[in-house]
Amino acid sequence: MFIGRKRELESLEKVYKKNGFGMTVVYGRRRIGKSTLIAEFIKNKKAIFYTASKVGAERNLELFSKQVLDVLNPDYRNLTFSSLESVLDIITGKIQNKKKKLILVIDELPYWAEKDEALLSILQKYIDTKWLDKNLMLILCGSALSFMENKVLSEKSAVFGRRDSQIKLEAFNYKDSALFVKDYSLEEKAICYGVTGGVAKYLAMFNSSENLDDNIKRLFFNPDGYLFDETKNLLTQEFSDISIVNNIIEQIAYGENALNNIALKIKEKENTILYSLEKLIDVGLVKKNKCITDEKNRKKTQYVLKDHMFKFWYQFIPKAISVIEMGQGNLYYDKIVKRQLHSFMGSVFEDMCRYYTLEQGILGKFESFITEVGTWWGMEQLPDGSGKCHQQSADIDIVGISAIQISSYRRM
């Protein structure tokens, strides 16, 4: 069952329906649902869907050729080609302008392009010289955010200026996440969103016929559970050395949000930590929070986990690895984790409230057009009853700001 992504499907359909050539770039972190979105979009449409892999340029060309021939000319699927151009020539020759548009999808593009520097230039050549008047839609998709932004979307890219749209796919919000577990209570739906971070792959693994606790136990607290090793798997795919980033995430999960404090805890130089933090931000696991009314103040910068699943994992799994591997993960969950779920959900609920505040503020529900939400922290002046004031530190978890009158914000 396909859930949500209405806006993204409409964006793809818009490019599909335009006359002549159209191109869309789809990107986002792993497990977020990019391939599922594209698969839903191409239903009942003529499409070549190739997923690249880490097998080198020659092998990707061979596999791509087979996929092209399977769709366009199955009788010749065993032919081999010495160049990408010869395969693209076949695609060009098969496009029928008076018939339905042909869709060409290259998924996980970075796996191929990183080993074949000419790939994007060749695509650019065909777009400019052979495809502009053809009934063809090209979709380039990838999980490596830095590659997609720097090599595909940036001005330095060979295909820059050729795309009609780009879609950066994000995790589901709490409303769409709830659609995966319709029979759960509102509280259970919120927890489901919290422990999965709204990531499509993880949400899809929740079995609505099982209760919430059993799903969490099966996925996280079982040695064979899909999410038991998921953080390690994701980090290994993104980083050559995961030791430092693993320590950084662990410190953030335990509440260390300042660069200097993280560096002190890990016993590494701040520059080293900052480099790894920027990489974690690039892959969508960490975000940089700034005081919403003082964003230029570097001292008011906090690093927090953007991915709630990572926070849940690092808060509860590392300290119980041995227990889980001994087959006692269910007992650990019942005795330790379950009673701390509401505490864990605190920061998740704050994020949910910020989303709600922005959504309702855009609709004018707060008597102003709210354009930005965030947090505020600092010192505030409080009267002490004698006519004098004293300073006290304060934190406001949900702040909405209207662009019309920046100086006013609503304390929630």
Side-chain angles (χ1 to χ4, degrees):
M1 181 175 64
F2 186 81
I3 292 174
R5 307 301 192 196
K6 180 180 178 181
R7 179 178 58 82
E8 290 84 358
L9 285 172
E10 289 175 349
S11 175
L12 290 166
E13 283 290 345
K14 186 176 181 180
V15 176
Y16 179 74
K17 290 177 180 178
K18 69 167 284 193
N19 293 326
F21 176 79
M23 173 179 159
T24 294
V25 177
V26 180
Y27 66 113
R29 56 156 289 190
R30 299 177 195 282
R31 319 288 199 256
I32 212 72
K34 301 180 299 299
S35 300
T36 303
L37 169 68
I38 296 171
E40 178 68 17
F41 165 67
I42 65 175
K43 277 184 178 179
N44 304 316
K45 297 181 177 72
K46 189 172 185 180
I48 301 166
F49 193 132
Y50 175 65
T51 302
S53 52
K54 294 181 178 181
V55 291
E58 290 185 5
R59 180 60 173 161
N60 270 306
L61 173 59
E62 179 183 348
L63 295 173
F64 176 65
S65 304
K66 290 184 181 297
Q67 189 64 35
V68 170
L69 292 174
D70 277 344
V71 174
L72 299 182
N73 204 336
D75 292 337
Y76 296 94
R77 64 167 60 98
N78 292 322
L79 286 178
T80 58
F81 298 87
S82 59
S83 69
L84 175 60
E85 288 93 330
S86 57
V87 184
L88 297 182
D89 284 339
I90 290 177
I91 295 173
T92 306
K94 288 288 184 177
I95 299 172
Q96 302 293 327
N97 288 342
K98 294 183 180 180
K99 294 185 178 181
K100 288 185 177 180
K101 183 167 288 187
L102 174 66
I103 303 171
L104 172 60
V105 181
I106 303 180
D107 197 3
E108 295 300 354
L109 172 76
Y111 289 159
W112 187 354
E114 285 175 343
K115 298 298 182 181
D116 186 353
E117 295 181 357
L119 175 60
L120 290 174
S121 296
I122 293 171
L123 289 175
Q124 174 250 313
K125 180 180 72 174
Y126 272 75
I127 293 169
D128 291 348
T129 63
K130 298 188 177 184
W131 290 348
L132 284 180
D133 62 343
K134 297 291 185 180
N135 212 13
L136 174 71
M137 179 178 180
L138 175 64
I139 301 177
L140 301 180
C141 180
S143 300
L145 272 68
S146 57
F147 183 95
M148 297 300 291
E149 290 174 347
N150 297 327
K151 302 293 185 179
V152 180
L153 295 171
S154 76
E155 294 183 5
K156 297 179 180 179
S157 171
V159 293
F160 178 76
R162 276 80 181 174
R163 71 183 184 276
D164 294 273
S165 67
Q166 69 279 336
I167 298 172
K168 184 177 183 181
L169 209 61
E170 300 284 1
F172 284 110
N173 60 48
Y174 67 91
K175 290 183 176 181
D176 286 339
S177 295
L179 299 176
F180 285 82
V181 285
K182 290 182 178 180
D183 296 332
Y184 280 11
S185 69
L186 293 177
E187 180 181 313
E188 289 172 333
K189 289 175 180 177
I191 293 173
C192 183
Y193 166 70
V195 300
T196 61
V199 173
K201 176 69 174 180
Y202 312 150
L203 286 164
M205 303 190 80
F206 268 69
N207 186 348
S208 290
S209 64
E210 296 180 4
N211 63 47
L212 175 67
D213 292 331
D214 288 343
N215 270 302
I216 295 175
K217 290 175 185 177
R218 171 174 55 83
L219 292 170
F220 285 96
F221 299 96
N222 184 323
D224 301 322
Y226 184 87
L227 296 175
F228 175 63
D229 272 334
E230 177 67 351
T231 57
K232 179 182 177 182
N233 293 336
L234 283 173
L235 293 177
T236 301
Q237 290 172 355
E238 297 289 349
F239 300 91
S240 56
D241 181 4
I242 68 169
S243 58
I244 291 181
V245 294
N246 184 72
N247 289 335
I248 291 172
I249 295 173
E250 193 169 50
Q251 291 302 319
I252 296 175
Y254 278 104
E256 293 294 348
N257 304 122
L259 172 62
N260 58 338
N261 288 343
I262 297 171
L264 285 172
K265 290 282 186 178
I266 298 177
K267 296 181 173 59
E268 291 282 354
K269 294 180 179 179
E270 288 189 14
N271 286 342
T272 301
I273 300 299
L274 185 59
Y275 174 79
S276 295
L277 281 169
E278 294 297 335
K279 293 285 288 182
L280 286 166
I281 291 170
D282 285 343
V283 300
L285 298 179
V286 170
K287 64 180 178 180
K288 187 187 296 185
N289 271 1
K290 294 187 176 183
C291 181
I292 194 168
T293 59
D294 197 9
E295 293 189 345
K296 294 182 179 180
N297 189 342
R298 292 185 178 182
K299 293 181 179 179
K300 287 191 173 184
T301 299
Q302 295 179 339
Y303 294 93
V304 298
L305 290 180
K306 183 179 180 180
D307 189 309
H308 296 308
M309 186 280 287
F310 264 70
K311 183 177 181 181
F312 180 79
W313 195 97
Y314 276 88
Q315 189 167 328
F316 295 112
I317 303 295
K319 64 183 72 173
I321 293 290
S322 298
V323 175
I324 297 169
E325 290 180 341
M326 288 177 65
Q328 298 300 321
N330 288 1
L331 184 62
Y332 171 70
Y333 176 83
D334 290 333
K335 295 285 187 181
I336 305 297
V337 179
K338 188 172 181 179
R339 67 180 64 177
Q340 297 183 44
L341 272 180
H342 288 287
S343 176
F344 162 77
M345 283 296 295
S347 61
V348 178
F349 185 66
E350 289 170 10
D351 273 348
M352 292 167 63
C353 290
R354 280 187 283 271
Y355 180 91
Y356 176 83
T357 300
L358 181 59
E359 178 188 58
Q360 297 299 303
I362 290 172
L363 298 175
K365 299 295 185 179
F366 301 127
E367 300 178 1
S368 63
F369 187 76
I370 292 177
T371 56
E372 187 179 359
V373 295
T375 58
W376 182 93
W377 64 94
M379 304 300 293
E380 61 179 357
Q381 301 286 338
L382 293 177
D384 60 6
S386 64
K388 297 181 180 180
C389 292
H390 68 274
Q391 283 192 331
Q392 177 176 299
S393 62
D395 293 280
I396 305 176
D397 297 321
I398 300 98
V399 178
I401 288 182
S402 170
I404 298 171
Q405 191 175 358
I406 297 297
S407 60
S408 67
Y409 57 89
R410 181 178 295 269
R411 184 165 181 165
M412 307 289 290

